[in-house]
Structures are given as structure tokens and as C-alpha cells.
Amino acid sequence: MSGLSGLGLGLAALGRPAYINVGREGALPADRSVEAMRQASRDVLDAAYTAGVRWVDAARSYGLAEEFLGGWLADRDHPDVTVSSKWGYTYVGRWRTDSPVHEVKEHTLPRYRAQFEESRKLLGDRLALYQVHSLTPDSPLFGDAPLRAVLAEAAACGLRVGFSTSGPDQADTVRRALDLEVAGQRLFTAVQSTWNPLEPSVGEALREAHEAGAHVLVKEALANGRLAVRPPPEVARAAERHGVGPDAIALAAALHLPWADTVLAGAASVAQLRSNLAAVTVRLDDEDLAGLARLAIPPARYWADRAALPWN
């Protein structure tokens, strides 16, 4: 896959004042007020659309991301933007960077009903894909037939239903979730997973998902900014060879995957976005790919490192 048609914009870093992305601090407004963050979101959305990005991803737990996105869509009236969002986490950070807890997870039918109404109120019929946020093998969804039935009803009414994954067991989660059926119909037709050169373990499962007809979205291609701010030597050398930033190399690695339908960039500013967009100009060669393949670490270690990232 190549070109801007394969890139989307994720709003995790723009919808709330605190997040775990490395390198976000200097990119955001100094005061991080609601209005300042709203304007920063609009600036990045405008720049992304002008550049050719046509997929935007949000979530109920991304603070005011859905509100920011809904307002931007209403003002700009871009009919060709595909909107995806997620339910299952609730933002509880109270717009504080020092909140002891920023989000709370709950995969239940009452949580789905409440958050679906909230998302619909903010995004209207622009919501094209609604995903279970961070599905894991222990999610109660797997044992909750009434919840799965309601999700199937939404799918039958034209809303695409999917899930995102996190944690060291992503591959098992993808395979198990894509096997779920309701009344003989596959429940999920889209999956969003973390894939990057440090954590590629879900790759084979995502290839299977793509070949089965699911829309595959790649998130956290920069490893929450770690590959951009603290690039391993292999990434830094490839960036120098191609004349781009290390962020573009990490995104190019994801864009190179034949099964990745949409690769989400998580830029927190227009400058970061422009640097990210250089990925579409990069054609990774065998030397680049071999170097990147050597970066993989055990999934348990990757996710432990990610869990230790501070919210700021």
C-alpha cells in the first residue's frame, strides 16, 4: 500500500490535555485549555485534509476528540471523510494533566448503549465504523451474548462494527474476535491493532483478517512516539538515507505492509503531521526492511514499557 489514501489521522493526542505519546509536549499549546486544544485539532485536521488524508479516528475516551471532530465536520462539510470511533473506555481525567486516572474501561451492554448515543450525538451519521476499544482475551464481550446481539443489530442497520486490540496477546484476540458470529453472520468486519517494528507480533493475524475481508487499521506505528524521539540506529540510518525524519520511516514500514488498509498517524501539531506525511515518499529497500525486522522485542516487554510511559 502506498500514497495518502492509506494514511489516516488518529486524534488520541489532540482530544485531551494528557496522553502517553513521547514528543507531544512541545507540539501542543502551552496552556492546553479546551479552546486551545480545539484550535490545535482543527489546524491539524485542516492540514491533513488539504494534504489528502480522508480517514479520521477518535474514541469516547479521547477527551473531547469527538466533539472537536464533529464541530470541524459541521463547519467544513467534507463529505469524503471516513470517521471511525471507539467505545468501551470513559475519559475521567477532568481535563487535568496530573489526574491520577485518565480513563476507565468497561465492555458492557449499558456502557455500549450510553456511549453509542454520545458518539451519535456528536458525529451523527458521519460515524462509519464503531469499534470496541482495546479488546483483550479477558473481555466480557466474549461471554456476553446480549451485547454481541446488539452490536449485530447495529451492523445490520448499516454501521460497520469492529474492534481495536492492545496487549501482548493481540494475535489471539484478533483471531478469536473475527470468529464471532451472530445468526450466522460475522460480527466484526474491521480491526485496529498496534503494529510497529518493535511490536510486529500481530502481523500474521492481521494478514489473515485482511484476506478474510476485514478492514485492517494500524495504530501506534511510532510506538507512541518512541521511534520518532528515540529512534534505534536502524531507524535513524534509514531516515538519513531517505532524507526524512525517523517518524516517516516508522510509518513507511506500516504503509509497506500489503494487508494494512489504513495506517493511522497520531500527529499533535501541523509540523508533526507534515513530517509524518513524508512517509508516502519513502520506498523502503531490502536493507531498510532487514534493519527494521531486527528491532522486534518480546511482546510482554514492549507492553510493559508502554504501560510505564507517563501521562503528560
Side-chain angles (χ1 to χ4, degrees), residues 1-8 51-53 255 261 263 277 279-283:
M1 180 184 58
S2 62
L4 282 168
S5 62
L7 272 178
V53 174
L255 288 166
D261 298 298
V263 175
L277 294 179
V280 303
T281 70
V282 175
R283 297 295 178 265

Side-chain angles (χ1 to χ4, degrees), residues 30-241:
D31 64 4
R32 301 198 194 175
S33 65
V34 171
E35 286 310 311
M37 292 294 287
R38 187 193 310 275
Q39 187 58 54
S41 298
R42 292 171 72 90
D43 290 344
V44 174
L45 285 163
D46 280 339
Y49 187 85
T50 298
V53 174
R54 294 295 183 268
W55 191 298
V56 183
D57 183 71
R60 287 302 305 136
S61 63
Y62 293 175
L64 297 178
E66 287 185 328
E67 179 183 325
F68 294 167
L69 175 57
W72 178 79
L73 288 167
D75 289 346
R76 298 294 187 261
D77 192 28
H78 295 313
D80 54 345
V81 173
T82 298
V83 174
S84 57
S85 195
K86 297 179 286 292
W87 71 274
Y89 274 93
T90 299
Y91 175 67
V92 295
R94 299 186 179 182
W95 211 259
R96 290 170 45 191
T97 58
D98 62 348
S99 176
V101 179
H102 294 270
E103 54 188 18
V104 176
K105 184 179 182 180
E106 182 184 317
H107 289 169
T108 64
L109 181 53
R111 175 61 57 89
Y112 166 75
R113 289 191 188 278
Q115 293 199 315
F116 178 68
E117 290 303 315
E118 293 164 352
S119 294
R120 275 294 196 201
K121 182 178 179 181
L122 294 167
L123 298 170
D125 60 5
R126 299 304 303 271
L127 181 63
L129 168 62
Y130 208 42
Q131 304 160 97
V132 186
H133 199 164
S134 291
L135 194 64
T136 53
D138 60 352
S139 170
L141 177 142
F142 288 109
D144 192 337
L147 172 57
R148 297 196 304 273
V150 170
L151 292 174
E153 290 175 10
C157 292
L159 177 66
R160 192 164 199 171
V161 175
F163 61 96
S164 72
T165 66
S166 60
D169 299 314
Q170 286 191 109
D172 290 343
T173 303
V174 169
R175 293 184 173 110
R176 186 178 175 192
L178 286 177
D179 279 342
L180 291 175
E181 292 186 352
V182 176
Q185 298 294 316
R186 173 173 286 175
L187 178 59
F188 296 119
T189 58
V191 52
Q192 181 181 144
S193 294
T194 294
W195 184 98
N196 58 62
L198 298 176
E199 167 44 328
S201 65
V202 74
E204 182 63 18
L206 293 180
R207 181 193 63 78
E208 295 167 7
H210 173 82
E211 291 180 354
H215 189 98
V216 173
L217 298 98
V218 169
K219 65 182 174 76
E220 299 181 6
L222 303 186
N224 297 100
R226 285 179 283 167
L227 289 172
V229 176
R230 301 191 290 266
E234 294 85 349
V235 174
R237 283 196 296 269
E240 184 175 2
R241 288 181 62 215

